[in-house]
mmCIF file of all heavy atoms in Angstrom:
data_model
loop_
_atom_site.group_PDB
_atom_site.id
_atom_site.type_symbol
_atom_site.label_atom_id
_atom_site.label_comp_id
_atom_site.label_asym_id
_atom_site.label_seq_id
_atom_site.Cartn_x
_atom_site.Cartn_y
_atom_site.Cartn_z
ATOM 1 N N CYS A 144 0.965 -0.296 -22.546
ATOM 2 C CA CYS A 144 2.167 -0.309 -21.703
ATOM 3 C C CYS A 144 1.927 -1.137 -20.446
ATOM 4 O O CYS A 144 1.254 -0.682 -19.513
ATOM 5 C CB CYS A 144 2.544 1.124 -21.328
ATOM 6 S SG CYS A 144 4.088 1.247 -20.392
ATOM 7 N N SER A 149 9.378 0.816 -14.664
ATOM 8 C CA SER A 149 9.852 2.023 -15.359
ATOM 9 C C SER A 149 8.838 2.543 -16.373
ATOM 10 O O SER A 149 9.206 3.277 -17.298
ATOM 11 C CB SER A 149 11.182 1.739 -16.059
ATOM 12 O OG SER A 149 12.195 1.410 -15.138
ATOM 13 N N LEU A 150 7.554 2.209 -16.189
ATOM 14 C CA LEU A 150 6.562 2.599 -17.189
ATOM 15 C C LEU A 150 6.494 4.115 -17.397
ATOM 16 O O LEU A 150 6.175 4.585 -18.496
ATOM 17 C CB LEU A 150 5.197 2.040 -16.840
ATOM 18 C CG LEU A 150 4.472 2.489 -15.571
ATOM 19 C CD1 LEU A 150 3.655 3.755 -15.807
ATOM 20 C CD2 LEU A 150 3.554 1.389 -15.058
ATOM 21 N N ASP A 151 6.818 4.911 -16.351
ATOM 22 C CA ASP A 151 6.816 6.364 -16.529
ATOM 23 C C ASP A 151 7.858 6.801 -17.555
ATOM 24 O O ASP A 151 7.689 7.841 -18.202
ATOM 25 C CB ASP A 151 7.076 7.055 -15.196
ATOM 26 C CG ASP A 151 5.817 7.190 -14.361
ATOM 27 O OD1 ASP A 151 5.408 6.187 -13.743
ATOM 28 O OD2 ASP A 151 5.244 8.287 -14.326
ATOM 29 N N VAL A 152 8.919 6.031 -17.687
ATOM 30 C CA VAL A 152 9.940 6.359 -18.686
ATOM 31 C C VAL A 152 9.354 6.239 -20.085
ATOM 32 O O VAL A 152 9.649 7.054 -20.974
ATOM 33 C CB VAL A 152 11.170 5.448 -18.527
ATOM 34 C CG1 VAL A 152 12.221 5.777 -19.583
ATOM 35 C CG2 VAL A 152 11.756 5.572 -17.129
ATOM 36 N N ALA A 153 8.524 5.217 -20.292
ATOM 37 C CA ALA A 153 7.877 5.067 -21.600
ATOM 38 C C ALA A 153 7.003 6.274 -21.900
ATOM 39 O O ALA A 153 6.988 6.787 -23.029
ATOM 40 C CB ALA A 153 7.053 3.779 -21.627
ATOM 41 N N GLY A 154 6.274 6.757 -20.889
ATOM 42 C CA GLY A 154 5.456 7.946 -21.091
ATOM 43 C C GLY A 154 6.285 9.162 -21.445
ATOM 44 O O GLY A 154 5.914 9.943 -22.337
ATOM 45 N N VAL A 155 7.424 9.341 -20.774
ATOM 46 C CA VAL A 155 8.301 10.473 -21.070
ATOM 47 C C VAL A 155 8.867 10.352 -22.483
ATOM 48 O O VAL A 155 8.958 11.351 -23.217
ATOM 49 C CB VAL A 155 9.433 10.562 -20.039
ATOM 50 C CG1 VAL A 155 10.492 11.574 -20.476
ATOM 51 C CG2 VAL A 155 8.877 10.960 -18.671
ATOM 52 N N ALA A 156 9.243 9.148 -22.887
ATOM 53 C CA ALA A 156 9.782 8.953 -24.237
ATOM 54 C C ALA A 156 8.786 9.399 -25.296
ATOM 55 O O ALA A 156 9.157 10.010 -26.305
ATOM 56 C CB ALA A 156 10.153 7.484 -24.442
ATOM 57 N N VAL A 157 7.502 9.114 -25.055
ATOM 58 C CA VAL A 157 6.473 9.559 -25.988
ATOM 59 C C VAL A 157 6.299 11.069 -25.911
ATOM 60 O O VAL A 157 6.242 11.768 -26.934
ATOM 61 C CB VAL A 157 5.132 8.853 -25.695
ATOM 62 C CG1 VAL A 157 4.027 9.394 -26.609
ATOM 63 C CG2 VAL A 157 5.268 7.344 -25.897
ATOM 64 N N MET A 158 6.245 11.608 -24.687
ATOM 65 C CA MET A 158 5.980 13.036 -24.507
ATOM 66 C C MET A 158 7.116 13.919 -25.012
ATOM 67 O O MET A 158 6.915 15.105 -25.277
ATOM 68 C CB MET A 158 5.709 13.321 -23.033
ATOM 69 C CG MET A 158 4.410 12.742 -22.522
ATOM 70 S SD MET A 158 2.962 13.553 -23.252
ATOM 71 C CE MET A 158 3.062 15.163 -22.474
ATOM 72 N N LEU A 159 8.303 13.376 -25.148
ATOM 73 C CA LEU A 159 9.388 14.138 -25.750
ATOM 74 C C LEU A 159 9.136 14.396 -27.235
ATOM 75 O O LEU A 159 9.762 15.272 -27.838
ATOM 76 C CB LEU A 159 10.721 13.404 -25.568
ATOM 77 C CG LEU A 159 11.323 13.431 -24.158
ATOM 78 C CD1 LEU A 159 12.524 12.496 -24.078
ATOM 79 C CD2 LEU A 159 11.744 14.849 -23.765
ATOM 80 N N GLU A 160 8.213 13.605 -27.814
ATOM 81 C CA GLU A 160 7.979 13.706 -29.259
ATOM 82 C C GLU A 160 6.558 14.149 -29.617
ATOM 83 O O GLU A 160 6.356 14.802 -30.638
ATOM 84 C CB GLU A 160 8.250 12.339 -29.925
ATOM 85 C CG GLU A 160 9.598 11.724 -29.598
ATOM 86 C CD GLU A 160 10.774 12.567 -30.067
ATOM 87 O OE1 GLU A 160 10.589 13.437 -30.943
ATOM 88 O OE2 GLU A 160 11.891 12.349 -29.557
ATOM 89 N N THR A 161 5.569 13.767 -28.786
ATOM 90 C CA THR A 161 4.184 14.071 -29.136
ATOM 91 C C THR A 161 3.319 14.011 -27.883
ATOM 92 O O THR A 161 3.732 13.461 -26.857
ATOM 93 C CB THR A 161 3.648 13.071 -30.187
ATOM 94 O OG1 THR A 161 2.347 13.480 -30.625
ATOM 95 C CG2 THR A 161 3.568 11.661 -29.628
ATOM 96 N N LEU A 163 -0.072 12.894 -25.587
ATOM 97 C CA LEU A 163 -0.797 11.643 -25.407
ATOM 98 C C LEU A 163 -1.958 11.864 -24.461
ATOM 99 O O LEU A 163 -2.108 12.920 -23.856
ATOM 100 C CB LEU A 163 0.125 10.519 -24.910
ATOM 101 C CG LEU A 163 0.985 10.703 -23.659
ATOM 102 C CD1 LEU A 163 0.153 10.655 -22.375
ATOM 103 C CD2 LEU A 163 2.045 9.602 -23.581
ATOM 104 N N ARG A 183 4.444 14.719 -15.383
ATOM 105 C CA ARG A 183 4.002 13.941 -16.535
ATOM 106 C C ARG A 183 3.567 14.806 -17.712
ATOM 107 O O ARG A 183 3.281 14.273 -18.780
ATOM 108 C CB ARG A 183 2.855 13.015 -16.120
ATOM 109 C CG ARG A 183 3.326 11.846 -15.255
ATOM 110 C CD ARG A 183 2.180 10.937 -14.865
ATOM 111 N NE ARG A 183 2.669 9.729 -14.198
ATOM 112 C CZ ARG A 183 1.889 8.781 -13.704
ATOM 113 N NH1 ARG A 183 0.577 8.897 -13.794
ATOM 114 N NH2 ARG A 183 2.405 7.713 -13.111
ATOM 115 N N PHE A 212 -2.364 6.199 -24.052
ATOM 116 C CA PHE A 212 -1.354 5.452 -23.306
ATOM 117 C C PHE A 212 -2.096 4.610 -22.269
ATOM 118 O O PHE A 212 -2.602 5.137 -21.282
ATOM 119 C CB PHE A 212 -0.392 6.437 -22.637
ATOM 120 C CG PHE A 212 0.859 5.836 -22.076
ATOM 121 C CD1 PHE A 212 1.920 5.502 -22.897
ATOM 122 C CD2 PHE A 212 0.987 5.606 -20.714
ATOM 123 C CE1 PHE A 212 3.080 4.974 -22.391
ATOM 124 C CE2 PHE A 212 2.143 5.068 -20.186
ATOM 125 C CZ PHE A 212 3.194 4.749 -21.030
ATOM 126 N N VAL A 254 4.373 -1.057 -25.843
ATOM 127 C CA VAL A 254 5.619 -0.369 -25.489
ATOM 128 C C VAL A 254 6.005 -0.793 -24.076
ATOM 129 O O VAL A 254 5.165 -0.841 -23.176
ATOM 130 C CB VAL A 254 5.461 1.169 -25.599
ATOM 131 C CG1 VAL A 254 4.265 1.672 -24.803
ATOM 132 C CG2 VAL A 254 6.723 1.875 -25.158
ATOM 133 N N ALA A 256 9.132 -0.396 -21.021
ATOM 134 C CA ALA A 256 10.329 0.307 -20.542
ATOM 135 C C ALA A 256 11.036 -0.566 -19.518
ATOM 136 O O ALA A 256 10.408 -1.073 -18.578
ATOM 137 C CB ALA A 256 9.963 1.643 -19.921
ATOM 138 N N VAL A 267 13.405 1.890 -23.924
ATOM 139 C CA VAL A 267 11.980 1.886 -24.237
ATOM 140 C C VAL A 267 11.819 1.207 -25.591
ATOM 141 O O VAL A 267 12.342 1.693 -26.606
ATOM 142 C CB VAL A 267 11.411 3.316 -24.265
ATOM 143 C CG1 VAL A 267 9.950 3.296 -24.691
ATOM 144 C CG2 VAL A 267 11.559 3.974 -22.894
#
Side-chain angles (χ1 to χ4, degrees):
C144 184
S149 297
L150 64 87
D151 277 78
V152 179
V155 170
V157 176
M158 291 292 290
L159 286 172
E160 308 298 341
T161 187
L163 54 74
R183 288 180 172 177
F212 192 78
V254 53
V267 176

